[in-house]
Amino acid sequence: MIIVMNKKASENNIRAVTEKLGKEGFSSHIIRGVEKIVVGAIGDRQTICSMGLELMEGVEKVVPIMKPYKLVSREVKSEDSVININGMEIGGNNFTVIAGPCAVENREQLLLAAEGVKAAGAKVLRGGAFKPRTSPYSFQGLEKKGLEFLAEARDLTGLKIITEVIDSYSLEMALDYVDIIQIGARNMQNFQLLRLAGKSQKPVVLKRGLSATVEEWLMAAEYIMSEGNYQVILCERGIRTFETATRNTLDISSVPLIKRLSHLPIIVDPSHAAGDWHLVPPLAKAALAVGADGIMVEVHPNPMQAMCDGPQSLSIKKFTAMTEELKPLAALLSRQI
Amino acid sequence: MIIVMNKKASENNIRAVTEKLGKEGFSSHIIRGVEKIVVGAIGDRQTICSMGLELMEGVEKVVPIMKPYKLVSREVKSEDSVININGMEIGGNNFTVIAGPCAVENREQLLLAAEGVKAAGAKVLRGGAFKPRTSPYSFQGLEKKGLEFLAEARDLTGLKIITEVIDSYSLEMALDYVDIIQIGARNMQNFQLLRLAGKSQKPVVLKRGLSATVEEWLMAAEYIMSEGNYQVILCERGIRTFETATRNTLDISSVPLIKRLSHLPIIVDPSHAAGDWHLVPPLAKAALAVGADGIMVEVHPNPMQAMCDGPQSLSIKKFTAMTEELKPLAALLSRQI
Amino acid sequence: MIIVMNKKASENNIRAVTEKLGKEGFSSHIIRGVEKIVVGAIGDRQTICSMGLELMEGVEKVVPIMKPYKLVSREVKSEDSVININGMEIGGNNFTVIAGPCAVENREQLLLAAEGVKAAGAKVLRGGAFKPRTSPYSFQGLEKKGLEFLAEARDLTGLKIITEVIDSYSLEMALDYVDIIQIGARNMQNFQLLRLAGKSQKPVVLKRGLSATVEEWLMAAEYIMSEGNYQVILCERGIRTFETATRNTLDISSVPLIKRLSHLPIIVDPSHAAGDWHLVPPLAKAALAVGADGIMVEVHPNPMQAMCDGPQSLSIKKFTAMTEELKPLAALLSRQI
Amino acid sequence: MIIVMNKKASENNIRAVTEKLGKEGFSSHIIRGVEKIVVGAIGDRQTICSMGLELMEGVEKVVPIMKPYKLVSREVKSEDSVININGMEIGGNNFTVIAGPCAVENREQLLLAAEGVKAAGAKVLRGGAFKPRTSPYSFQGLEKKGLEFLAEARDLTGLKIITEVIDSYSLEMALDYVDIIQIGARNMQNFQLLRLAGKSQKPVVLKRGLSATVEEWLMAAEYIMSEGNYQVILCERGIRTFETATRNTLDISSVPLIKRLSHLPIIVDPSHAAGDWHLVPPLAKAALAVGADGIMVEVHPNPMQAMCDGPQSLSIKKFTAMTEELKPLAALLSRQI
C-alpha cells in the first residue's frame, strides 16, 4: 500500500500516518520526492478499508498494490485449471460447446433441442428452469418440471446438463438434477448465492455481471472458491455500455486478460452479448480464435415460437452449420470440440 | 407495437405478419410509406417477447409503444404517493433525512451515531447489519446483534430504523426489528428478494442498481408492488460510468424524470454516489433543489475508525453543519426537514 | 512514480529498473514488502510515456503519483479565478445565466430571444452560428450572418454574446464579433482548436467532452492556458452512459469535484444534459445549489418552430418562470444572478 | 415516423398533429389502439429535428423509422465495397495488415519498422507524424519530417503508407505524401475535417470515436461520402466503458454488425483497444475470425524506447510470430494476407 501525501503535508502529518501504520502492524518507508512525499506500507495482511488513512490530514490518496484476490490468481497457481464434469473436461485443449434453449418450455421442445445440439457436437445442454425476468408479468420458468425434462434429455443423449439458479431454493432443487450450476449476470454479486454454490461441490459457470469489472468478477469467483469449491468456469456474456445496437457489448478482450490473471477456464456467451442470432456465428469464431475454452449458445428448435430470447436463438440447422465451421478452426488452433 | 418492414419485404411477408398478429389476438393496420412499410398492431395485452416477429422474413425491427410497468406509473395514479412509516411520512412536502453508519460496528458506535443524527434533524437511522461485500475476506456484518442495537437506538431516540437485507434469511430476521427495509443496488434485480419484500408489507427503500436504467428500476419497484406492497421509496445512488474520479456518477436527472414517470417518492444517497465526504454536502443541497423527497447519508461518530466506507462518511459535526445549511433551503422550497 | 514489481522479479530485474531510472535522471528507492517489491522513482520532471518501464522484465505495473496538469490546478493557485468579460464577471459570488437559442435562425428569432432572456435576468446571449451536426444533411448554421445578428442583439440589449466555434475558420470569424468563444463537447480534444483558442485572448467556455473524464477535461483547459489564455470557464453538459432516458447523464458531482481540483469557474448546461425542457428548471436549481458559477440554457421564442433542439428548449415564458425561482435561491446561497 | 400520443390526448390534439404533418408535406395515418393512439407520418424526405412534434400537446414521443444514413448503407449498395489503393485492395477476400510505430520518431526507427513489418507480411506502413496528445507538454510529432521518412520507407519497401491527420493543416500536408489518410477517434465528429477528407479523393481510414455509437460512426462516414469520396475504410479501435483493466473495450461485435448495415470494409485496431501488447495477438486472431477486413497494429523496433504507446507495441519479432499464426487461419477462412 502506497500513501501519497499532498503538497501541504507537514512532518507531523507524515508522523501521524507512520504511527497509525505502526499500530496496525505495518512498517513504513518514506520516499521524499521533489514535489510529493509518499509512504510505502509493508505488512503481511490485507487491511479493512485502508484504516481511514484517506481521512488523515495531509493524505492525498491511498494506492493499493496487492490484488484483492488469491485463490483465483495465476500467481498462486500457474498452470491452467481443467474442470472435470463427471468425466467430461472443460479447459485445457477442449473447446466445449454448451447449447440449448433460453427456457425449458415443454418436454418436446427440450428433447428436440437436446438431440439437435448433440448431433451438431455440443457436449452440454443448457435450459432455464428458473428465469430471472425483468418484468413480474413474464414467464418465470417451469422449475422442478423443467429440471426433470433436462434430466430426461441427459438420459437420452448423454449430454451433461446445466441450468441457472437464482436463489437458495432453486439451487437446492437444481443440485439433485444438474451437472453444472450456472450463476447468472444479475446474481454475480449475490454473495449468499455464491457462498452456497461454493459449499455445493458442483461445478459452477459464473457469468460476468453486466456492469462488473474483471476484478469484481474474479472476486465473485473467489467467493465460491473460498468455500472450498474450486470448480469454477467463468463466462463472458457482454457488458453494458452506451452502445445499444447490440444487446450488450461483448468484451472479448476479457478472455486473454483473464488467462493472464487467473488459471480458471473461461467461456463466451455470444447469444446474450449480441441479442441477435445473425451475429452469433462470427462471435463464436472470434471466441475460439481469441483463446476461450468454449461457448454457451442459445438454440431453439423453433426460434419463432420461443417464449423468450427468440431473436438471439439459432435454429438447429443454423447451429449445426456454425459448429461445422468451428470444427476445422478448432483443429487448426489445437482445440478439440 | 409497431413492426417496421425492411425495403425488400414482399406482400407475402406482410401478410404473414398480419396473420401471425391475428392469431395472437391483435388486429393490424398497414401504413405504406414512401420507402418503408410499417404495421401497427392493436391489442389489449402485452405479449411475451414480441412473438418472434423479429425473426419473420421481411421484418426489420419491432418497436414497442407501451411502457412495461403499470402500478408504479403516474399514468395509473396521478397524485404523489406518500409513504407512512408508523406515523412518519416520506413524500409530499417532507424532505426526510436518513443517516447513520455504513455498518453497525458495536453498541457504542451506533448509539453515538443515533444521538448525533437525531440532534441534527435526521428522522431515520440507517446502519448495516448484513453487509454485501465484494471480498469474501471483508467484515460481513453483526447480523442479529446489529439489529438489536438498531432497535435499542430507536427506543432511545425515537428515530425510525432502516437496514439493508440481502437474502431471505436477512429479510426474515430484519422484519422483526426495522421500520423500513432496504434493498441495495446489487440486489435491485434479485427478483426473489423483491417478491419477498413485496409480500412483507414493510416499507421498502429500493436502491437503483449500479447499471440499471430508470425503466429497469421502475420494473423492480413493479415487482414489489405486484405482490401487494405499495410502500416503495426509490433511492438514486449513482450509476457506473467511465468516470472514476467519483465512486459512481450521481444521476441527478433521474429525480425529476422519475417524478414525471411515477408517483413514488424518491430520495438520493450522495455518500455512495460520491465516495468522498467532501462532495456530500453540495450533492445533498442539489438533491433538495432538484426535488428529491429526502437523502440517505453515511455518518460515523469517528470516520477514521470506520470498518467500511470511512472516506465517504461525515462526522457528526460535519453532518450537523450540513443539515443547518439544508434547513433554510428546504424552507424556501416549501419542504420540511 | 511507483514501479510495482511482480512476484517473480529477480534482483537483476530490480537492478535493471533502477539503472534505467538513473539514466533518465531519477533516483530510486526500493521498498521490499512481504509479497511484492516496489520501486519509488524520484525526479523533477514528467517523463514521456513512462519510459517503457512497463515492458521491463519483472515489472507488474507503473503507478503515476503526480497529476498531469499544472496551470488549471488549485495546488498552483488556491483562490478561485474570476473571469472578467468586458466588465461582467463569471465566478466569485456571481451566478451567471447564459441563455438563447440552439441556432441563430434569423434576425427576428434572435432579437426576440435576446430581449426575452435579458428581461428575465440573463447576462449573456448564446446562439449557434456554426453548428456541428451529426448528419451532413442537417442545417449547418448561418455563419457570418448569424454572428452579425448576435452583434446586433448585443447592441440592442447590452447582453454579452457567445457562440460555438468548430474550427480555425469559424474561430477567426467569431473573434471579431463575440465576447466569449465556446468550444463544444465534440471538440474538447481538438487540440489544434484548443491551441488557437489559447492564442486568442478571448474568454473561452470549454464544454466537457461527452466521454471525457474530469482529468482529460482539465488537460484540455491546460492546453488553452499553456498558450497564455487564462480565461477559461468549464461547462458540465452531461456525459454519455448506458442510460438513454435522458439525452446525456448530467454529472453534477463534477462541479464540487472541479472546485476541489481547480481554481477555474464552472457552469452547467442542463438543456443538453437532459434533452427535455421539463427537466431543465429542476436541474438548473440543482446546479445553483451544488455550487456552480452559472448555467447555460437553451431558450427559443417558439420552441415548436426551432430548427434544432426544440424539445430541450424553454420558451421565454418558462425561462422567465425559472429565473424567478432561481433568484431567491441564489440570494439564500449568497450568489448574485 | 411514428408519433405516439399519450393517454390523455384529445381529438383536438390529434388533429393538430395531423395538420402540422400536412403542412410539412406528410400524409398521416391514425391507428387507434386499446390504450394509445399512434399517428404514422408518410413522406419522402427526412425532416429537420422532427418539427417540434414532441412539444405538441398530447404527444408522448416521436419514433423515427428511417435510418439517418444513405450512402454508407447496404440497403443502397448490397455488394461489399473494395477500396483500391494504388493497386492494392482493402476489402473482398483480403485481410490487410497495417503495421508500424505509434509515432515516427526518426529515420532509423521508421525504416527498421518498415522493413520488419514488410518481411512479416504487412501491406501498409503506419506512423504518426501529427500526434493528438492529451497533454500539451507531450511530444507532438515530427510533422513534415515524419511524412518524408514515411515516403522514403515506401520507396524502399513498396509498402503503402498511412498517417493520421488532425486538422486542415496536417491534412493538406499529408495529401502530398501518403496513400491513405487516417482520421482518429478524437476527430470522428470533427465535421470540418470529415468534409475536407471527403473532398480529397484519398482513401480514408475512419476510426470509431471512443464514445461513438455504430450509427454515429456510419454518419461520420456518410459525411465523407457525401462530398464524393467513396473510399472509406472503417476501423474499430475500442470504446470507452467502465472497464479500466484494458485501455478501451474492443467492440468486436461491431464488425459483423457493420457488415450487415453497410457495404464498407472494416478493420480492427487491437493495439489501442487493449493498451497491452500481450493481448494483441489473440485479439488479432479474433478480428480475423469475426470477419474483419484487416488489422492495424502498433509495431516498434524497440518498444522499450518508444516515445509513446510502448506498452501496447509489438516488437518486430513478436509481430512476425503473430502474422505466422494469422496466415494459416486466414487461409482456412478464405482470406488472403
Side-chain angles (χ1 to χ4, degrees):
Chain A
M1 194 167 44
I2 299 290
I3 297 97
V4 181
M5 307 300 293
N6 65 34
K7 282 198 174 165
K8 294 176 185 150
S10 68
E11 287 304 312
N12 277 343
N13 295 159
I14 297 166
R15 199 172 321 113
V17 167
T18 58
E19 280 174 18
K20 172 99 173 175
L21 286 168
K23 249 194 294 183
E24 302 284 341
F26 287 84
S27 65
S28 49
H29 215 95
I30 301 173
I31 305 178
R32 293 174 187 275
V34 176
E35 292 203 53
K36 302 243 166 164
I37 288 167
V38 306
V39 179
I42 301 168
D44 63 349
R45 61 182 190 75
Q46 284 194 290
T47 51
I48 300 157
C49 300
S50 75
M51 311 174 301
L53 289 163
E54 292 94 336
L55 294 169
M56 296 185 75
E57 221 170 313
V59 172
E60 186 174 302
K61 62 176 170 180
V62 175
V63 182
I65 295 299
M66 301 294 294
K67 297 207 180 77
Y69 45 81
K70 291 181 196 303
L71 300 171
V72 302
S73 171
R74 201 175 273 282
E75 287 188 342
V76 167
K77 177 169 181 288
S78 59
E79 68 278 16
D80 286 348
S81 285
V82 176
I83 312 298
N84 189 303
I85 296 158
N86 302 326
M88 189 209 70
E89 288 184 338
I90 294 183
N93 71 336
N94 301 288
F95 186 76
T96 307
V97 178
I98 304 174
C102 171
V104 182
E105 297 170 13
N106 56 61
R107 185 172 173 274
E108 194 203 352
Q109 170 241 22
L110 190 70
L111 297 189
L112 273 175
E115 282 156 19
V117 304
K118 164 82 177 181
K123 289 285 195 310
V124 185
L125 176 68
R126 58 152 291 158
F130 309 91
K131 300 303 302 172
R133 301 300 296 276
T134 315
S135 167
Y137 311 121
S138 296
F139 173 64
Q140 312 273 327
L142 294 183
E143 307 207 345
K144 197 170 189 337
K145 208 73 210 150
L147 293 170
E148 288 169 2
F149 294 149
L150 281 167
E152 187 180 349
R154 173 176 50 197
D155 293 346
L156 287 172
T157 59
L159 290 166
K160 308 295 175 199
I161 58 176
I162 180 172
T163 211
E164 180 174 355
V165 297
I166 57 175
D167 50 34
S168 55
Y169 166 79
S170 55
L171 175 66
E172 305 257 306
M173 201 183 284
L175 286 177
D176 292 340
Y177 293 88
V178 301
D179 302 293
I180 314 174
I181 55 181
Q182 176 184 324
I183 293 182
R186 284 192 183 75
N187 283 305
M188 194 205 81
Q189 291 196 319
N190 183 333
F191 301 118
Q192 179 212 26
L193 191 60
L194 296 176
R195 286 197 188 281
L196 290 173
K199 283 174 181 140
S200 78
Q201 299 306 326
K202 279 270 181 194
V204 180
V205 163
L206 177 65
K207 286 198 154 186
R208 182 177 183 179
L210 79 171
S211 68
T213 62
V214 163
E215 187 171 297
E216 289 168 340
W217 189 16
L218 289 173
M219 286 308 289
E222 185 89 8
Y223 255 94
I224 298 171
M225 295 179 78
S226 72
E227 295 291 338
N229 184 352
Y230 284 33
Q231 305 170 83
V232 179
I233 300 136
L234 301 167
C235 180
E236 165 67 37
R237 44 77 73 205
I239 56 175
R240 180 161 279 183
T241 71
F242 64 82
E243 178 58 79
T244 55
T246 46
R247 185 169 175 178
N248 294 286
T249 298
L250 181 66
D251 183 10
I252 194 104
S253 312
S254 75
V255 177
L257 182 64
I258 288 282
K259 290 283 177 198
R260 284 176 59 74
L261 298 174
S262 175
H263 51 86
L264 293 174
I266 174 168
I267 64 174
V268 166
D269 175 346
S271 307
H272 280 86
D276 178 351
W277 68 266
H278 293 92
L279 306 186
V280 171
L283 292 178
K285 281 186 256 178
L288 174 51
V290 90
D293 297 299
I295 46 174
M296 185 183 305
V297 183
E298 289 198 352
V299 178
H300 195 285
N302 188 348
M304 283 215 281
Q305 306 288 341
M307 293 178 76
C308 54
D309 285 349
Q312 73 193 34
S313 295
L314 292 174
S315 64
I316 287 162
K317 191 173 153 198
K318 283 182 186 127
F319 175 70
T320 307
M322 180 180 86
T323 55
E324 288 312 305
E325 287 193 87
L326 288 172
K327 283 168 189 171
L329 205 57
L332 181 68
L333 296 163
S334 309
R335 290 279 195 165
Q336 184 176 309
I337 291 192
Chain B
M1 193 166 43
I2 299 289
I3 297 97
V4 182
M5 307 299 293
N6 65 35
K7 283 198 175 168
K8 293 176 187 150
S10 67
E11 288 302 314
N12 278 342
N13 295 159
I14 297 167
R15 198 171 324 113
V17 166
T18 57
E19 280 173 18
K20 172 99 176 175
L21 286 167
K23 247 193 297 182
E24 302 284 341
F26 287 84
S27 65
S28 47
H29 215 94
I30 302 175
I31 305 177
R32 292 175 188 275
V34 177
E35 292 202 53
K36 304 240 166 167
I37 289 167
V38 307
V39 180
I42 302 169
D44 64 350
R45 59 181 189 76
Q46 282 193 291
T47 51
I48 299 156
C49 300
S50 73
M51 313 174 298
L53 290 165
E54 293 94 335
L55 294 169
M56 296 186 75
E57 222 169 316
V59 172
E60 186 174 303
K61 60 177 174 182
V62 176
V63 183
I65 295 299
M66 302 292 294
K67 296 208 182 76
Y69 43 82
K70 293 182 195 301
L71 301 170
V72 302
S73 171
R74 200 174 274 281
E75 286 189 341
V76 168
K77 174 168 184 288
S78 60
E79 68 280 14
D80 287 346
S81 285
V82 176
I83 313 297
N84 189 304
I85 296 158
N86 302 327
M88 188 206 73
E89 289 183 339
I90 295 183
N93 72 337
N94 300 288
F95 186 77
T96 308
V97 178
I98 304 176
C102 170
V104 181
E105 297 171 13
N106 55 60
R107 183 171 176 275
E108 194 202 352
Q109 171 243 21
L110 190 71
L111 297 189
L112 274 174
E115 282 156 17
V117 303
K118 163 83 178 183
K123 287 287 195 308
V124 185
L125 176 68
R126 57 152 292 159
F130 309 91
K131 299 303 301 172
R133 301 301 295 276
T134 315
S135 167
Y137 311 121
S138 295
F139 172 65
Q140 311 273 328
L142 293 183
E143 307 207 345
K144 195 169 190 344
K145 207 74 212 153
L147 293 169
E148 289 169 1
F149 294 149
L150 281 166
E152 186 179 350
R154 173 177 49 198
D155 293 345
L156 287 172
T157 59
L159 291 166
K160 308 296 175 198
I161 59 177
I162 180 172
T163 211
E164 180 175 352
V165 298
I166 56 176
D167 49 35
S168 54
Y169 167 81
S170 55
L171 175 65
E172 305 260 303
M173 201 183 281
L175 286 176
D176 293 341
Y177 294 87
V178 300
D179 302 293
I180 314 173
I181 57 180
Q182 176 183 325
I183 294 183
R186 285 191 184 76
N187 283 307
M188 193 206 82
Q189 292 196 319
N190 184 333
F191 301 118
Q192 180 212 26
L193 192 58
L194 296 175
R195 286 199 188 280
L196 290 174
K199 283 172 181 140
S200 78
Q201 299 306 325
K202 277 271 180 194
V204 180
V205 164
L206 177 65
K207 286 197 155 186
R208 180 177 185 180
L210 79 172
S211 67
T213 62
V214 162
E215 186 171 297
E216 290 168 339
W217 188 17
L218 289 173
M219 286 307 289
E222 185 88 9
Y223 256 92
I224 298 171
M225 294 178 78
S226 71
E227 296 290 338
N229 184 351
Y230 284 33
Q231 305 170 83
V232 179
I233 300 135
L234 301 167
C235 179
E236 164 67 38
R237 44 77 73 203
I239 56 174
R240 180 163 279 184
T241 71
F242 65 83
E243 178 57 81
T244 56
T246 45
R247 185 170 175 176
N248 294 286
T249 297
L250 182 66
D251 183 10
I252 194 105
S253 312
S254 75
V255 176
L257 182 64
I258 288 282
K259 289 282 177 199
R260 284 177 58 74
L261 299 173
S262 175
H263 52 85
L264 294 174
I266 174 168
I267 63 173
V268 167
D269 175 348
S271 307
H272 280 86
D276 177 351
W277 68 265
H278 295 90
L279 306 186
V280 171
L283 292 178
K285 280 186 256 177
L288 173 51
V290 90
D293 297 298
I295 47 173
M296 185 182 308
V297 182
E298 289 198 354
V299 178
H300 194 285
N302 187 349
M304 283 215 281
Q305 306 288 340
M307 293 179 78
C308 54
D309 285 347
Q312 74 194 33
S313 296
L314 293 173
S315 64
I316 287 163
K317 192 175 154 196
K318 284 182 186 128
F319 174 72
T320 307
M322 181 181 86
T323 54
E324 288 312 305
E325 288 193 87
L326 288 172
K327 283 169 189 171
L329 206 55
L332 181 67
L333 296 162
S334 309
R335 291 278 196 166
Q336 183 174 313
I337 293 192
Chain C
M1 193 168 42
I2 298 291
I3 297 98
V4 182
M5 306 300 293
N6 66 34
K7 280 197 175 167
K8 292 175 187 152
S10 68
E11 288 303 314
N12 278 342
N13 296 158
I14 297 166
R15 199 172 322 114
V17 167
T18 57
E19 280 173 17
K20 171 97 174 177
L21 287 167
K23 248 193 294 182
E24 303 283 341
F26 287 84
S27 65
S28 49
H29 215 95
I30 301 174
I31 306 178
R32 294 172 187 277
V34 176
E35 292 203 53
K36 301 242 166 165
I37 288 168
V38 306
V39 180
I42 301 169
D44 62 351
R45 61 183 188 77
Q46 282 194 292
T47 52
I48 301 158
C49 301
S50 75
M51 312 175 299
L53 289 163
E54 292 94 337
L55 295 170
M56 297 186 76
E57 223 171 311
V59 171
E60 187 173 304
K61 62 176 170 180
V62 176
V63 183
I65 295 300
M66 301 293 293
K67 297 206 182 78
Y69 44 80
K70 291 181 197 302
L71 300 171
V72 302
S73 171
R74 201 174 273 282
E75 286 188 343
V76 167
K77 175 167 182 288
S78 59
E79 69 278 17
D80 286 348
S81 285
V82 176
I83 312 297
N84 189 303
I85 296 161
N86 301 329
M88 188 206 72
E89 288 184 341
I90 295 184
N93 72 337
N94 301 289
F95 186 76
T96 308
V97 179
I98 303 175
C102 171
V104 181
E105 297 171 12
N106 55 60
R107 183 170 174 274
E108 193 201 352
Q109 169 241 24
L110 190 70
L111 297 189
L112 274 175
E115 281 155 21
V117 303
K118 163 83 177 184
K123 288 287 195 308
V124 184
L125 175 69
R126 58 151 291 157
F130 309 91
K131 300 302 301 173
R133 301 300 295 276
T134 314
S135 166
Y137 312 120
S138 296
F139 172 63
Q140 311 274 329
L142 293 184
E143 308 207 343
K144 196 168 186 351
K145 207 75 212 150
L147 294 170
E148 288 169 0
F149 294 148
L150 282 166
E152 186 180 350
R154 173 179 48 198
D155 292 346
L156 286 171
T157 59
L159 291 166
K160 308 296 175 197
I161 58 175
I162 179 173
T163 211
E164 181 176 353
V165 296
I166 57 176
D167 50 35
S168 53
Y169 166 81
S170 55
L171 175 65
E172 305 258 306
M173 202 184 283
L175 286 177
D176 292 341
Y177 293 87
V178 302
D179 301 294
I180 314 174
I181 56 181
Q182 176 183 326
I183 293 182
R186 286 191 183 76
N187 283 305
M188 193 205 81
Q189 292 195 320
N190 183 335
F191 300 119
Q192 180 214 25
L193 192 59
L194 297 175
R195 285 199 189 280
L196 290 175
K199 284 174 180 141
S200 77
Q201 299 306 328
K202 278 271 179 189
V204 180
V205 163
L206 178 65
K207 286 199 155 185
R208 182 178 182 179
L210 80 171
S211 68
T213 62
V214 163
E215 187 171 296
E216 290 168 338
W217 188 17
L218 290 174
M219 286 307 289
E222 185 88 10
Y223 256 93
I224 298 170
M225 295 178 78
S226 72
E227 297 290 338
N229 184 352
Y230 283 34
Q231 305 170 83
V232 179
I233 300 136
L234 300 167
C235 179
E236 165 67 37
R237 44 78 73 204
I239 56 174
R240 178 161 279 184
T241 71
F242 63 83
E243 178 59 80
T244 55
T246 44
R247 183 170 177 179
N248 294 286
T249 298
L250 182 66
D251 183 10
I252 194 104
S253 311
S254 75
V255 176
L257 182 64
I258 288 281
K259 290 283 178 199
R260 285 177 57 73
L261 298 174
S262 175
H263 51 86
L264 294 174
I266 174 169
I267 64 174
V268 167
D269 174 348
S271 306
H272 280 86
D276 178 351
W277 69 265
H278 293 92
L279 307 186
V280 171
L283 292 179
K285 280 187 254 177
L288 172 52
V290 90
D293 298 298
I295 46 173
M296 186 183 305
V297 183
E298 289 198 351
V299 178
H300 194 286
N302 188 348
M304 283 215 280
Q305 306 288 342
M307 294 178 76
C308 55
D309 285 349
Q312 73 193 34
S313 295
L314 293 173
S315 65
I316 287 163
K317 190 174 156 199
K318 284 181 186 130
F319 174 71
T320 306
M322 180 180 87
T323 54
E324 287 313 303
E325 286 193 88
L326 288 172
K327 283 169 188 170
L329 206 57
L332 181 68
L333 296 161
S334 309
R335 290 278 196 166
Q336 184 176 312
I337 292 192
Chain D
M1 191 166 46
I2 299 291
I3 297 96
V4 182
M5 306 300 293
N6 65 34
K7 282 197 175 168
K8 293 176 187 149
S10 68
E11 287 304 313
N12 277 342
N13 295 159
I14 297 165
R15 198 172 324 115
V17 166
T18 57
E19 281 173 15
K20 171 99 175 173
L21 286 168
K23 247 193 296 182
E24 303 283 341
F26 288 84
S27 66
S28 49
H29 216 94
I30 301 176
I31 306 177
R32 292 173 187 278
V34 177
E35 291 204 53
K36 301 243 165 163
I37 289 168
V38 306
V39 180
I42 301 169
D44 64 349
R45 59 180 190 77
Q46 282 193 292
T47 50
I48 299 157
C49 299
S50 75
M51 312 174 300
L53 289 163
E54 293 95 335
L55 294 170
M56 296 185 76
E57 222 170 316
V59 172
E60 187 174 302
K61 62 176 170 181
V62 176
V63 182
I65 294 299
M66 302 293 294
K67 296 205 183 77
Y69 44 81
K70 292 184 195 301
L71 301 172
V72 302
S73 170
R74 200 175 274 282
E75 287 189 340
V76 167
K77 175 168 182 288
S78 60
E79 69 279 15
D80 286 347
S81 286
V82 176
I83 312 297
N84 189 303
I85 295 159
N86 302 327
M88 189 206 74
E89 288 183 339
I90 294 185
N93 73 336
N94 301 288
F95 186 76
T96 308
V97 178
I98 304 175
C102 171
V104 181
E105 297 171 12
N106 56 60
R107 185 171 174 273
E108 194 202 350
Q109 171 242 22
L110 190 70
L111 297 189
L112 274 175
E115 281 155 18
V117 304
K118 162 83 177 181
K123 288 287 195 308
V124 185
L125 175 68
R126 58 152 290 158
F130 308 91
K131 302 301 303 171
R133 302 300 296 277
T134 316
S135 166
Y137 312 121
S138 295
F139 172 64
Q140 312 272 329
L142 294 185
E143 307 207 344
K144 196 169 184 359
K145 208 73 210 153
L147 293 170
E148 289 169 0
F149 294 149
L150 282 166
E152 186 179 349
R154 174 177 48 197
D155 292 346
L156 286 172
T157 59
L159 291 166
K160 308 296 175 200
I161 58 176
I162 180 173
T163 211
E164 179 175 354
V165 296
I166 56 177
D167 50 36
S168 53
Y169 166 80
S170 55
L171 174 65
E172 305 258 305
M173 203 183 282
L175 286 177
D176 293 340
Y177 293 89
V178 301
D179 302 295
I180 314 173
I181 56 180
Q182 177 184 323
I183 293 182
R186 284 192 183 77
N187 283 305
M188 194 206 80
Q189 291 195 320
N190 183 334
F191 300 118
Q192 179 213 25
L193 192 58
L194 296 175
R195 286 199 188 279
L196 290 175
K199 284 174 180 141
S200 78
Q201 299 306 326
K202 279 271 179 191
V204 180
V205 164
L206 177 66
K207 288 197 152 187
R208 181 178 184 179
L210 80 171
S211 69
T213 63
V214 163
E215 186 172 296
E216 290 168 338
W217 189 15
L218 289 173
M219 286 307 289
E222 185 88 8
Y223 255 94
I224 298 172
M225 294 178 78
S226 72
E227 297 290 339
N229 183 352
Y230 283 34
Q231 307 170 80
V232 179
I233 301 137
L234 300 167
C235 179
E236 164 67 38
R237 46 75 74 202
I239 56 175
R240 180 162 278 183
T241 71
F242 64 82
E243 177 60 80
T244 55
T246 45
R247 184 168 175 179
N248 294 285
T249 298
L250 182 66
D251 183 9
I252 194 103
S253 312
S254 74
V255 177
L257 182 64
I258 288 282
K259 290 282 178 200
R260 285 178 57 73
L261 299 174
S262 175
H263 53 85
L264 294 175
I266 174 168
I267 63 174
V268 167
D269 174 347
S271 306
H272 280 86
D276 177 351
W277 69 265
H278 293 92
L279 307 186
V280 172
L283 292 179
K285 281 186 255 179
L288 174 51
V290 91
D293 297 297
I295 46 173
M296 186 183 306
V297 184
E298 289 198 353
V299 178
H300 195 284
N302 188 348
M304 283 214 281
Q305 306 287 343
M307 293 178 79
C308 54
D309 284 349
Q312 75 194 33
S313 296
L314 293 173
S315 64
I316 287 164
K317 193 175 153 196
K318 283 179 186 131
F319 174 70
T320 306
M322 182 180 87
T323 54
E324 287 312 305
E325 287 194 88
L326 288 173
K327 283 169 190 170
L329 206 57
L332 181 68
L333 296 163
S334 309
R335 289 279 195 165
Q336 184 175 310
I337 290 189

